[in-house]
Amino acid sequence: MSKSVAIVGTRGYPSYYGGFETLVRELSPYLVERGWNVTVYSRKGAVEVDDPHRDPRVETVVTRGVESKSLSTLTYGLTSAAHAARKRPDVALVMNVANGFWLPILKARGIPTIVNVDGIEWERAKWGRAAKTVFKRGAQLTARFGDQLIYDSHEIGRRWSKEFKRDGNFIPYGGTIPPQLDPVEGLAPRSYVLMVSRFVPENTVEEFFSAAEALSRDWDVVIVGSSGYGGELDQRAQDLAEGSARIHWLGHVSDDEKLFSLWQNAGAYFHGHSVGGTNPALIQAMACGAPIVARNTVYNREVLSDAAQFVEPQSDAIAKAVDEVLSDRRLQMELSAGAIERQGDQYTWEGVCDLYEQLLVSACAGTAESTRSR
């Protein structure tokens, strides 16, 4: 008899917004192929019903919520959890500790839960005091009511073990290896620096923008991303692009082929994320063979090992490190090959999806034993 899983806490399927959505795009068809009935809870307007990449065997349920920076996750999580409680799947895969508030709803119906805790949200600078309090309380409730936890990095697992006395399962993200793609029009291969990031302070966006002004004297600079809600950083990106013909702000890019081409042909990819564990965009950049310059953090070093150049979060240091990579074709080749090898050894979607299914099966069986605890 087939098993059923409800996936709660993402924007839906298929969505191209962030890491959770990338995971759902890979995991949902994988589980269907293995006989699972998969229901993904979605937000209104967040997915295209006629998306050619959508697997029609994956059921999507659109629920209501408040679309705002601070209330979206909580309100959509509540309506999704309430619907799933009525439907009673064999197991619920819940994304984001903010949804820890709604785990008792699922527990009351006897539905085992597996929670991907994501990063340490209450330390992100983009959130105000109230939002940070909500995330911290959600984490406490997740630690209390979540049957099994998933951490996407070993360091996140150590933080949870220390702060919440909960062990869990290490399951990172995977990468898709693309074919050789043509460069994006107007950009010569290996002659531009690329940044792909949500515009929030902890992603070193402001420091990179300052570095971009210096770098643009000799190199093209390509910026992909936005805040999602407008604001000072979006305005700064627009001003940079309008002030220099060599700075290109593309906004959010949902076309995977275009994004993969940007990574594949970049002369340097700057990854400035400082919190959040294993970053899906970083894994995909590795799969595309981008020569990587990364902010020096415990998370980035865990993922990249020696397959990158590491830099402190100062604009002068970023500009210097990026310029060195852009100026040295041999170094570019070494970093590119190292990134591809590291991703292939440690971060594949086949391996990731297999670990998720193992955990889902064990939860349905009532054992919920860790597939890979640290």
Side-chain angles (χ1 to χ4, degrees), residues 8 22 30 34 44 53 92 103 129 147 162 177 180 187 202 229 233 238 367:
V8 174
T22 302
Y30 180 96
R34 282 150 184 77
K44 184 179 181 180
H53 301 294
L103 295 178
R129 181 178 298 178
D147 293 309
K162 179 180 178 180
I177 301 175
Q180 187 60 46
L187 297 172
E202 60 264 25
Y229 297 92
L233 290 175
Q238 183 175 330
T367 58

Side-chain angles (χ1 to χ4, degrees), residues 235-283:
Q235 186 61 53
R236 178 86 188 281
Q238 183 175 330
D239 291 344
L240 286 170
E242 291 177 351
S244 172
R246 304 199 73 168
I247 298 179
H248 315 269
W249 180 36
L250 307 184
H252 178 70
V253 175
S254 59
D255 181 345
D256 275 353
E257 184 171 311
K258 182 176 182 179
L259 188 56
F260 290 177
S261 171
L262 288 169
W263 270 315
Q264 193 177 71
N265 292 286
Y269 168 59
F270 175 70
H271 185 78
H273 295 60
S274 62
V275 298
T278 297
N279 183 268
L282 177 57
I283 301 299

Side-chain angles (χ1 to χ4, degrees), residues 109-295:
R109 297 288 285 171
I111 302 167
T113 55
I114 300 170
V115 186
N116 185 318
V117 303
D118 200 19
I120 310 298
E121 287 289 330
W122 53 95
E123 292 184 357
R124 292 184 186 269
K126 70 175 180 176
W127 300 118
R129 181 178 298 178
K132 290 179 179 180
T133 300
V134 167
F135 279 116
K136 188 63 176 287
R137 181 56 179 157
Q140 293 167 341
L141 292 168
T142 296
R144 179 179 177 184
F145 292 105
D147 293 309
Q148 279 291 304
L149 308 184
I150 292 174
Y151 315 125
D152 63 34
S153 82
H154 295 298
E155 181 61 26
I156 294 292
R158 283 190 282 270
R159 288 286 303 270
W160 273 75
S161 179
K162 179 180 178 180
E163 295 180 30
F164 301 105
K165 313 304 179 192
R166 281 295 306 266
D167 291 326
N169 308 274
F170 167 64
I171 309 180
Y173 291 92
T176 300
I177 301 175
Q180 187 60 46
L181 300 169
D182 292 331
V184 171
E185 186 176 354
L187 297 172
R190 295 294 190 237
S191 65
Y192 62 90
V193 56
L194 170 68
M195 183 188 75
V196 179
S197 173
R198 199 167 302 161
F199 289 0
V200 292
E202 60 264 25
N203 291 349
T204 327
V205 176
E206 294 179 81
E207 294 86 350
F208 180 80
F209 284 176
S210 295
E213 294 184 90
L215 289 164
S216 65
R217 290 193 289 266
D218 300 307
W219 310 99
D220 282 314
V221 178
V222 181
I223 301 169
V224 174
S226 69
S227 69
Y229 297 92
E232 292 183 8
L233 290 175
D234 295 75
Q235 186 61 53
R236 178 86 188 281
Q238 183 175 330
D239 291 344
L240 286 170
E242 291 177 351
S244 172
R246 304 199 73 168
I247 298 179
H248 315 269
W249 180 36
L250 307 184
H252 178 70
V253 175
S254 59
D255 181 345
D256 275 353
E257 184 171 311
K258 182 176 182 179
L259 188 56
F260 290 177
S261 171
L262 288 169
W263 270 315
Q264 193 177 71
N265 292 286
Y269 168 59
F270 175 70
H271 185 78
H273 295 60
S274 62
V275 298
T278 297
N279 183 268
L282 177 57
I283 301 299
Q284 189 54 55
M286 294 164 69
C288 291
I292 297 168
V293 176
R295 178 168 171 170

Side-chain angles (χ1 to χ4, degrees), residues 204 207-208 211 311-320:
T204 327
E207 294 86 350
F208 180 80
V311 66
E312 298 305 315
Q314 288 92 37
S315 58
D316 289 348
I318 294 167
K320 183 176 184 292

Side-chain angles (χ1 to χ4, degrees), residues 75 84 91 195 373:
T75 55
V91 59
M195 183 188 75
S373 296

